Amino acid sequence: MRYNKQELAAIASQTSQTFDREGVLIMKEKQDGFFRRTEAYSIRWFRLRGNLLFYLKGSEPWYEPVGVIVLGRHEVKLQACDENGHWPFQLVWDNAVCYRLATFQESERTIWIKSLQMAPYEVIHSQIETLKEKLSRVRPIIDVSSYRSQKGIVLDMNEVPLCELALSCDNLLCDAHGRPPSPLLVVYVRFSKDLCVKYGSTEVIETCSNPCFSKTVLFRASDGMSGKAVVRLVVYDVKELVSEVAVPMGYTTLQLSTIQETQRLRVALKTHDNKTVGFVTMNGWSLEPSCTGNSPCHTNDRNCLDIPQKIQCHRRSQSLPPRLGLKLKFPAYGSMIKQNFVNSHQVTYKFHSGLGGDINVHEIMAEPKLCYQLPIELLDIYIQREKELLGEMLSVGDICGNWQNKQLDLTSIHVSLLKHYCHSKRCLQQAEHAYFKASCKKDDSSLEFAPVNLHLQRMWIHNDTLNKTGFHDIITAGAFAAHTHKSERTGGLIRLVQQVKDINSSKAALNSAAANKIQSEYDNVMALRNLKDEIFKDMDRIIVLIQANQNIEARHTTEVIKTKTKGMMTLWEPGVIEESLAIIGWPKHNCNEDNENRTISTIMQLTEQLSMFDVGSDCDTLASSSSSSKETTPTVDAPSLSASVPNMCHNRCSKTQESIRNILESTDLQFHNNYFNSEERQQLNHSFRSVRSPFKTKLNDLPNSSFDSNRPRHGSLRHDFKNASSLEQVSYRCLMESLCGSDRRKSSNGKRESTLPSIGQVDSATRKTNLTYLEDFGVNFEASLATVIEAVVKIIDSNKEPSEQDLDTLRALTENFKIKAESLTHWARISHAALRLRCESPAWARDHAALQTRRDTCFSQALATTTSGLLCWFNSVPHDIVVKLLSSDLGPLCGFEGLLSLYSTEKAMWGDMVVAVEDLQTVLFTLNKVGHSNTALPHVSGSRGNLTVSIPVSDSLYSKFTKKEHLCFTITAVLFNIGINEKATLAEALGETTPQYHSNNDNLDRLNKYYHKYTKIFPADYSGANRASSRIKPLEEVMENLKKAVQKKVPKNIEVLHLAALATRHMNGIRFTSCKSAKDRTGMSVTLEQCSILSAEYHLAEHEMKKALDVMRSEGCRRENTYKNIGVKKYAFTKKQVKALPEEYRPPTGTYGSSHT
């Protein structure tokens, strides 16, 4: 235990009235003699305060203190009267420490022993708890949050409170030493004789007798408040901030109606003895909605609807006399925010501006409903994808032994992925909290797809002097990282991606070419399937149109079907299919056999053989580069990483070095530099690039045309492979239930007349026969279509109402055509599976699967966070700005701020987050009109490589778009990361921040491109007009300063974060802030940014800046965020960690100290 010598000496020297007991005791102690130490009795003055027993140098109270005994867990032993007439006793501890004391009188000893037995902390704490229980029985006091929970009251952000109350005190008495108190004012509301609620409180202002509190209190009708409610204001003197020890000074009691009617009231604070200890001044005002409508404004809009056309009254500073009938604005958050965000926490403040007026601030923290909902929808897409690939692999049927073993290996990997995704989905659906994942659960693998500590941090500001109002949103979330994947701690996804994307490695280039060939084959399969589905819908529509006598529309639809059929025939390549099957062998089963029985048979065979499936030899190589694989089969060894938008290259046969490089350049993620190459730490002129695909083919326009089978993620799946027996527990029948259902439908229609060749190598004549057999499918397909078209045209040209016989004939022809079309897609899928068997090794597939799950995890967290930000953006930015941005194909800017240190595990988190942010730019977002629906939640659809997120918007915004194509957009995402904690200091000392430097430069280039496009849409004079009354710098100057700041090589270059955030707000972008868990460092960053906005745009007085920052950190929403995550209202900083933080990011005293993270 450590002691502060000066503080203990000060306590021991205080006046007698502050001690529980004091007097003379005889103490037996060792004293230094001439030759040896001897024990002797000395008479000393002892003082007892709490569990501290001080003793002075002499026997009088004016001597200086020389020692202290900390009481607790000790035993008092009595002894008989000694030969000197003293009455001795001992204080004994378990560790053999013993103090021998004595009194002159037996009665004195009895009194001292009783006091010493009551002194330990455990006894005092027990007494306090007992007194609290007695007090609660006499007058129960509960916190307002507990009261709302008991009553089932849900806080509505749009509810207009009865009134808002600002408080200040004056002439508070000092203590006996003349020290001013550290006042804290608590508001209690008595609803009945048996219930008293701690309704609100102010911040603590240290050593001040005339405090003016910035935190205000809202009284809500939904809590049962009315004018008859009794309000008690109690002032406490906070003795110690860390333990929050407070002593009541005085109180006053009055009705709420008195506060509402008087507006400004100064009342004396009195003790129970009716002694006046000071005065409290109450400034109250009623509130009214700031606007009517669903779309609150943004501060940058000069024609904002939220700024009232006529303010009924101007609120004056506290130094001015009050005005009757005072009404101030209250923010209207809109129905969209209410429907998508829940469990809001609100804190209100009143600050003084430099112009002599007041600034009203409302701080909101809320949980998005899609924290789990969006990852669940993503998992559905991933599950469906794995089911399709598993079905394809099983559709090959029984093949020869070597290929069959490989088929079994690949199939088991898909089953394991299905198990992983299904388990994750089930856990998300059964999560304890429906809309929130606490930071203490970030290492919970069952919830890894959900973002950590995702919240909307919204600030509404109203400066009555400037007549300016606005919303400012920041989305806070933990780093988009695979926290449960402990094996990769030195670079994360970014390093894993670069290892397989190394364009300087010829092996990696060849592997990528082979993998892209597989991807190209799958793209053909998906395109065929989508065209087939569209043609089926069009044929069903033709029958409906003919029945409705809409012959012109029916004729037009036939032309559309012809065009799509030509597209299918272009993609149908029987030569490629025959070549693939000639190598691995044609399926043994006839095509007229039941597909369901074949599938289930193979699955049951897989179940039986999984127990013998030994992957132990591969477990140790999973974490290593796949280039070390030594498979003997003719396959590629390393996974290829294409991104969310697939590579649509159709050149299947080119294997030259030039074509390989063309394939690499066509992928959406290009890594021109290895961040983690030690040689490049000396050369900062090279940089990592990550750009989107420079071209898209026409197949990309199809709704579900592709899926990125090579989009890898490393992760926890490797643990599934380590335990082969765990795979046996999977219910394969359940996993394949829906797949078999579709196969059953196909098999009932897919009858074949001819028998296929047997397994094994075939000669040229047989291959020619097989090719002819496959070509016949295309011929029959075209002939069947011609028959259907002829029947449709005949009915249309007859100009008569079609008979039932004609319609039945047309339906029969249509069903026959569908059978032919199903045959084409069926053989295309078999071809793709055969190509995978030839070019995909099990070792590569396992590495690919592990990398895929890791990337899926990070991407899921990033997409949920970004969608939450877009929801707020569409409901806070003025409609004209939204329409201009989307109509110009620019899309919103998403500015991500990272506070991660490139040291230890956070280095891998940073690498994960870089790739996750890159993947976001390949997602297509669309706007949907809400109408009168009460469930206006975002929805994700499509396939893995072609994701579409539908975002609900208000009818008023939707109606402003004149073209339908403007309702679809992509985002521009930039990530700037600067570490600020003690680990960042270590990383900079070890030279580990070079990747961060490269990344920040690359994101600066992307932001600069967006800036040039933005200024063409919104000229400088347009932006300047909105900020004519503000102190912030123009956008051009901000961008120039940001370029200079990024180029600086200084430790903890936080200027980059400040300028990047300012540039994002200038360009009406969306702000995101992340650290490891979005709790401590994020809280410091968010509050700093909020105060910067208050100062720059709303003229917060300079002397109020530090005060506002401390109040928001000590009493604001971010302090509540720590309690939600770890159950303690403390930021997880130690004193050493606080000293390592930049000065602007340091929390106030008493708000930190928890060891939890």
Side-chain angles (χ1 to χ4, degrees), residues 953-1078:
V953 295
S954 61
D955 296 352
S956 58
L957 175 59
Y958 190 90
S959 61
K960 291 182 180 292
F961 289 94
T962 57
K963 296 182 179 179
K964 188 176 181 180
E965 55 267 23
H966 293 162
L967 296 172
C968 300
F969 65 93
T970 57
I971 64 170
T972 300
V974 293
L975 168 64
F976 291 93
N977 185 86
I978 298 292
I980 63 172
N981 63 358
E982 77 286 353
K983 293 182 180 179
T985 306
L986 288 173
E988 289 163 354
L990 297 173
E992 297 290 332
T993 57
T994 301
Q996 174 182 278
Y997 179 86
H998 290 324
S999 177
N1000 289 344
N1001 273 279
D1002 293 332
N1003 283 278
L1004 175 63
D1005 293 341
R1006 181 179 299 162
L1007 181 63
N1008 198 40
K1009 292 177 182 177
Y1010 186 92
Y1011 159 70
H1012 289 302
K1013 294 178 181 179
Y1014 183 86
T1015 51
K1016 292 179 181 179
I1017 305 171
F1018 301 98
D1021 55 347
Y1022 180 91
S1023 300
N1026 290 334
R1027 299 176 172 86
S1029 62
S1030 64
R1031 305 181 221 172
I1032 59 178
K1033 300 176 182 178
L1035 178 58
E1036 182 180 2
E1037 184 179 349
V1038 172
M1039 290 300 299
E1040 288 297 324
N1041 293 338
L1042 179 59
K1043 292 177 185 177
K1044 296 177 183 178
V1046 171
Q1047 295 299 326
K1048 290 180 182 178
K1049 301 171 185 176
V1050 296
K1052 297 182 180 178
N1053 191 8
I1054 58 176
E1055 185 183 5
V1056 172
L1057 302 179
H1058 301 166
L1059 292 172
L1062 183 57
T1064 302
R1065 293 198 303 271
H1066 263 298
M1067 291 185 278
N1068 295 286
I1070 312 170
R1071 283 282 297 112
F1072 301 87
T1073 300
S1074 297
C1075 62
K1076 182 171 67 174
S1077 58

Side-chain angles (χ1 to χ4, degrees), residues 4-22:
N4 189 313
K5 183 177 179 180
Q6 289 77 12
E7 289 186 2
L8 287 175
I11 294 174
S13 302
Q14 290 180 358
T15 58
S16 299
Q17 61 187 13
T18 60
F19 293 97
D20 302 327
R21 180 161 182 78
E22 61 179 345

